């Protein structure tokens, strides 16, 4: 008989925690999971999945706007935010049920309450019960970072935006990352007046500057207003429910809603990490080694709580590698090189590998191949928006260092192109590949 209640206790039922629990159980471990909110975590419940569905809803609004060019006459068209919101949230409920079934089918015990660390092999549940485990995995994710200014309590984060009672006629989005840019695009397409406030003059810092500049040009052409080098001094709520936002100048902006999207921080507050000597960095992220082990030998961590790469597929890989290493007798690490990523703006942008700036800094002499084109689909659109693809190549070896793009369906195209970058292929491999015509993807094998 084991000296512990469980072989593994997982704190957090997000993408990384659920994958770790499922795989560990398949290796024969007795597993329990504690989740204080809803099974599925940030991605499924309040992140990429419902947000992408809102993107689809807002894209339809754009298509509807020039339906006559497709030959359709649509009379009496109108938009109902609550109907879209409820459809999205109902699908979130469906996905949560699937995640719960996955845990049940692998005989994983689920505690629907918060858990904290009570010792190297002990967790304490919110109900007061203490549970022991041979290994503990922390996978509680991250939480929106809210700035400190008077009136911040009147603002919302990306957690609450999926549950708004009404679509704001006038929305301010604070931040310059992918969350801010995506929600700005969503509500702009749905008819809201959108202003983006950013404390610097750069947005989407990790993406190729030329691609980001194209996105900014298109976003401004669609009516999104950008206020760079700005930050909120205070927010006041008026008697009619609107918000007056003071940006430090003489003219406060009047909006219906302020969405704070200035990043997410590891959710380590109150976890009791000090009770087991689990070390954190200066940002509050849990420090781990290449096998996801913390400074406490019996405690591991994966996903956003470690603040390595805050992406769902990364958390899933880390959770799987942990389970194989600890319970599958197959030590595995995660390769963080050449991770593809995308921003579901309208149009979306995507990239993998080094940006042009980073490639020049690391390799010195590089070649840049590009294509600037108007996608055929955009011929129906009264806005003359152009796509842009670029490939950065090491001049000496012709090895592809990065691929970056903006245009319709860029994330779908980039995922396949990422395989080529990961495999270390050269530009010649693309040149030798026959084009698939007519398609946007063919631009990748025709780059000059």
């Amino acid at each position: 008989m084991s000296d512990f209640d469980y072989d593994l206790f997982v704190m957090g039922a997000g993408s990384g925690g659920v994958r770790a629990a499922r795989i560990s159980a398949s290796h024969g471990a007795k597993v329990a999971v504690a989740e204080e909110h809803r099974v599925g975590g940030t991605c499924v419940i309040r992140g990429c999945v419902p947000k992408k569905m809102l993107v689809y809803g807002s894209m339809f609004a754009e298509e509807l706007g020039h339906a006559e060019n497709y030959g359709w006459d649509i009379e009496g068209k109108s938009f109902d935010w609550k109907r879209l919101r409820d459809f999205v949230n109902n699908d979130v409920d469906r996905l949560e049920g699937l995640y719960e079934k996955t845990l049940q089918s692998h005989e994983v015990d689920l505690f629907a309450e918060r858990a904290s660390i009570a010792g190297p092999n002990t967790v304490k549940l919110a109900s007061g019960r203490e549970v022991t485990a041979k290994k503990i995995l922390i996978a509680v994710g991250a939480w929106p970072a809210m700035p400190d200014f008077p009136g911040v309590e009147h603002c919302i984060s990306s957690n609450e935006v999926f549950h708004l009672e009404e679509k704001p006629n006038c929305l301010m989005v604070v931040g310059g990352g992918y969350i801010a840019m995506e929600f700005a695009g969503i509500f702009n397409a749905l008819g809201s007046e959108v202003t983006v406030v950013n404390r610097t003059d750069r947005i989407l810092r990790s993406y190729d500057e030329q691609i980001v500049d194209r996105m900014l040009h298109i976003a401004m052409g669609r009516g999104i207003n950008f206020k760079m080098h700005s930050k909120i001094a205070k927010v006041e709520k008026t008697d009619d429910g609107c918000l007056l936002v003071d940006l430090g100048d003489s003219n406060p902006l009047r909006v219906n809603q302020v969405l704070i999207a200035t990043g997410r921080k590891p959710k380590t507050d109150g976890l009791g990490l000090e009770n087991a000597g689990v070390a954190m960095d200066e940002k509050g992220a849990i420090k781990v080694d290449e096998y996801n082990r913390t400074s406490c030998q019996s405690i591991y961590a994966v996903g956003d709580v470690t603040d390595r790469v805050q992406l769902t597929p990364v958390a899933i890989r880390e959770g799987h590698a942990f389970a194989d290493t600890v319970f599958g007798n197959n030590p595995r690490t995660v390769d963080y090189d050449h991770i593809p990523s995308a921003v579901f703006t309208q149009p979306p942008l995507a990239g993998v590998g080094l940006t042009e700036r980073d490639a020049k800094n690391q390799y010195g002499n590089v070649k840049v191949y590009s294509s600037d084109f108007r996608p055929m689909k955009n011929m129906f659109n009264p806005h003359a928006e152009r796509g842009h693809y670029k490939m950065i190549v090491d001049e000496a070896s012709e090895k592809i260092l990065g691929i970056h793009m903006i245009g319709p369906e860029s994330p779908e195209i980039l995922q396949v192109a990422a395989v080529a970058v990961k495999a270390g292929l050269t530009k010649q491999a693309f040149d030798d590949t026959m084009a698939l015509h007519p398609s946007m993807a063919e631009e990748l094998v025709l780059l000059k």
Side-chain angles (χ1 to χ4, degrees):
M1 295 291 292
S2 172
D3 294 331
F4 304 100
D5 298 320
Y6 293 96
D7 299 312
L8 171 65
F9 196 101
V10 181
M11 298 168 59
S15 298
V18 169
R19 175 60 66 91
R22 177 172 70 83
I23 300 301
S24 297
S26 70
H27 288 317
K30 183 181 180 182
V31 183
V33 175
E35 173 55 56
E36 64 177 311
H37 182 47
R38 298 178 65 182
V39 176
T42 296
C43 181
V44 173
I45 304 300
R46 53 188 174 272
C48 40
V49 170
K51 184 172 56 182
K52 184 67 178 292
M53 294 185 74
L54 290 182
V55 168
Y56 283 134
S58 61
M59 287 172 61
F60 184 78
E62 179 192 351
E63 298 286 330
L64 198 59
H66 47 267
E68 66 277 4
N69 292 336
Y70 289 107
W72 291 91
D73 293 320
I74 303 175
E75 297 180 1
K77 58 186 179 184
S78 63
F79 174 67
D80 188 331
W81 160 256
K82 292 181 179 179
R83 199 181 308 164
L84 173 61
R85 179 202 65 192
D86 292 348
F87 183 90
V88 170
N89 287 326
N90 286 338
D91 199 62
V92 168
D93 293 341
R94 179 186 66 85
L95 292 172
E96 181 183 18
L98 293 177
Y99 269 65
E100 290 177 346
K101 286 182 180 178
T102 294
L103 294 176
Q104 292 171 1
S105 66
H106 286 81
E107 299 182 342
V108 174
D109 291 341
L110 176 62
F111 295 92
E113 54 186 310
R114 178 178 172 81
S116 59
I117 300 292
N121 299 98
T122 306
V123 297
K124 184 175 182 178
L125 300 174
S127 59
R129 176 183 173 184
E130 290 194 348
V131 179
T132 61
K134 184 177 182 181
K135 303 292 182 184
I136 297 172
L137 177 67
I138 304 173
V140 295
W143 204 248
M146 299 294 282
D148 184 17
F149 57 78
V152 69
E153 68 274 10
H154 302 309
C155 306
I156 63 171
S157 72
S158 56
N159 285 356
E160 295 82 40
V161 72
F162 300 104
H163 306 283
L164 291 175
E165 281 300 312
E166 304 288 343
K167 178 183 72 68
N169 291 325
C170 189
L171 172 69
M172 176 178 288
V173 180
V174 182
Y178 72 94
I179 297 174
M181 293 303 103
E182 288 173 345
F183 279 117
I186 288 168
F187 285 100
N188 168 255
L190 292 177
S192 299
E193 180 182 336
V194 178
T195 298
V196 175
V197 174
N198 191 40
R199 60 185 177 85
T200 70
D201 62 351
R202 285 193 60 190
I203 62 172
L204 301 176
R205 288 178 170 270
S206 63
Y207 289 85
D208 188 88
E209 292 178 31
Q210 191 175 16
I211 299 299
V212 173
D213 285 345
R214 176 64 57 87
M215 188 278 292
L216 269 173
H217 177 78
I218 293 174
M220 289 187 288
R222 292 187 175 207
I224 298 177
N225 180 37
F226 288 86
K227 286 188 171 293
M228 302 299 193
H229 294 293
S230 298
K231 63 179 182 179
I232 295 179
K234 65 178 179 178
V235 174
E236 295 180 341
K237 193 167 188 177
T238 62
D239 292 339
D240 60 2
C242 289
L243 301 176
L244 284 179
V245 183
D246 183 356
L247 296 177
D249 52 31
S250 58
N251 296 308
L253 293 179
R254 185 182 178 89
V255 299
N256 300 114
Q257 194 65 257
V258 177
L259 169 60
I260 305 294
T262 51
R264 300 175 68 84
K265 61 181 181 180
K267 197 179 179 184
T268 51
D269 292 345
L271 278 186
L273 301 179
E274 67 281 359
N275 295 326
V278 176
M280 295 183 289
D281 66 14
E282 64 280 359
K283 295 181 180 180
I286 296 177
K287 292 182 178 181
V288 293
D289 64 14
E290 60 182 332
Y291 292 103
N292 302 296
R293 177 177 276 172
T294 72
S295 53
C296 177
Q297 294 298 296
S298 58
I299 299 178
Y300 295 71
V302 298
D304 292 358
V305 75
T306 68
D307 202 26
R308 286 174 287 186
V309 180
Q310 290 192 8
L311 292 172
T312 296
V314 174
I316 291 173
R317 286 284 183 95
E318 290 172 352
H320 200 134
F322 157 80
D324 285 348
T325 299
V326 177
F327 296 104
N329 196 30
N330 179 26
R332 291 201 304 114
T333 60
V334 174
D335 184 356
Y336 296 97
D337 288 336
H338 304 110
I339 298 174
S341 61
V343 184
F344 294 97
T345 45
Q346 299 181 38
L349 58 91
V352 63
L354 297 178
T355 64
E356 182 177 349
R357 178 192 289 267
D358 290 341
K360 288 179 178 178
N361 288 339
Q362 292 187 35
Y363 286 81
N365 296 324
V366 300
K367 293 181 180 179
V368 178
Y369 300 89
S370 65
S371 176
D372 193 306
F373 62 99
R374 187 178 183 185
M376 184 182 295
K377 180 181 180 182
N378 285 0
M379 297 303 177
F380 293 93
N381 191 331
H383 301 291
E385 296 176 353
R386 299 181 66 83
H388 189 81
Y389 293 179
K390 64 187 296 185
M391 178 184 291
I392 296 96
V393 175
D394 176 28
E395 187 174 61
S397 65
E398 283 288 307
K399 179 182 176 181
I400 301 170
L401 303 177
I403 295 177
H404 309 275
M405 57 180 65
I406 183 171
E409 307 299 339
S410 286
E412 306 294 340
I413 298 169
L414 192 280
Q415 175 67 85
V416 178
V419 177
V421 179
K422 184 67 175 176
L425 298 186
T426 64
K427 171 69 162 55
Q428 191 62 48
F430 278 72
D431 293 342
D432 293 341
T433 303
M434 194 70 72
L436 191 160
H437 181 76
S439 71
M440 291 177 289
E442 70 176 312
E443 297 294 331
L444 283 175
V445 299
L446 301 173
L447 294 173
K448 302 296 185 184

